[in-house]
Amino acid sequence: MKTLLLTRDDIQELARKVGLPTLMDTMIADLRSAFAAYDPARSIVRQREGFHYTTPTTGLHEWMPTMAVGGEITIKLVGYHPENPGTQGLPTILSTLSAFDTASGHLIAVMDGTFSTALRTGAA
């Protein structure tokens, strides 16, 4: 079984090809549909959990697991590091998404989620 890897460059290329206005319109429409269709009997959403730390720098990592019953598990990991722009040349918020097949446990995909996190936040 193969695992799909979507890097930051892959996501940037997709955004360039599709266009930000189209991506935002699609995200808004998809969020509306997802909120309207949410059924706790079909989706299990766990409480976000994480680590807050001050060494070596102030940061927070949270993971947000969800499972579509009979489907797949998605885990979003988000890091908040306010010093990143000045010290690392990175955004304050970084994110990674992982999807797993519940039939086998196989890692289906890993995706840089920084852009999609920003897009979803803006759309919401």
Side-chain angles (χ1 to χ4, degrees):
M1 295 185 141
K2 295 192 181 234
T3 300
L4 176 64
L5 174 63
L6 295 169
T7 67
R8 185 183 81 171
D9 290 344
D10 296 327
I11 303 303
Q12 285 178 337
E13 179 65 14
L14 173 69
R16 187 189 64 72
K17 283 183 178 178
V18 173
L20 189 55
T22 300
L23 283 175
M24 183 57 80
D25 289 346
T26 301
M27 180 64 78
I28 291 168
D30 288 351
L31 277 176
R32 280 190 180 126
S33 295
F35 288 147
Y38 175 71
D39 178 356
R42 294 178 44 213
S43 298
I44 300 171
V45 180
R46 296 283 186 230
Q47 182 174 345
R48 63 172 63 184
E49 183 79 36
F51 296 111
H52 184 272
Y53 44 90
T54 56
T55 303
T57 185
T58 299
L60 171 68
H61 265 90
E62 293 182 312
W63 46 92
M64 301 159 210
T66 64
M67 183 177 76
V69 175
E72 62 188 40
I73 294 170
T74 302
I75 302 173
K76 179 177 174 181
L77 180 64
V78 179
Y80 307 91
H81 294 83
E83 295 176 26
N84 268 359
T87 62
Q88 305 294 326
L90 294 169
T92 298
I93 299 172
L94 297 169
S95 175
T96 304
L97 295 144
S98 302
F100 300 87
D101 174 53
T102 56
S104 66
H106 176 71
L107 176 63
I108 299 167
V110 177
M111 176 179 130
D112 182 301
T114 302
F115 177 76
S116 64
T117 294
L119 191 66
R120 193 222 57 91
T121 299

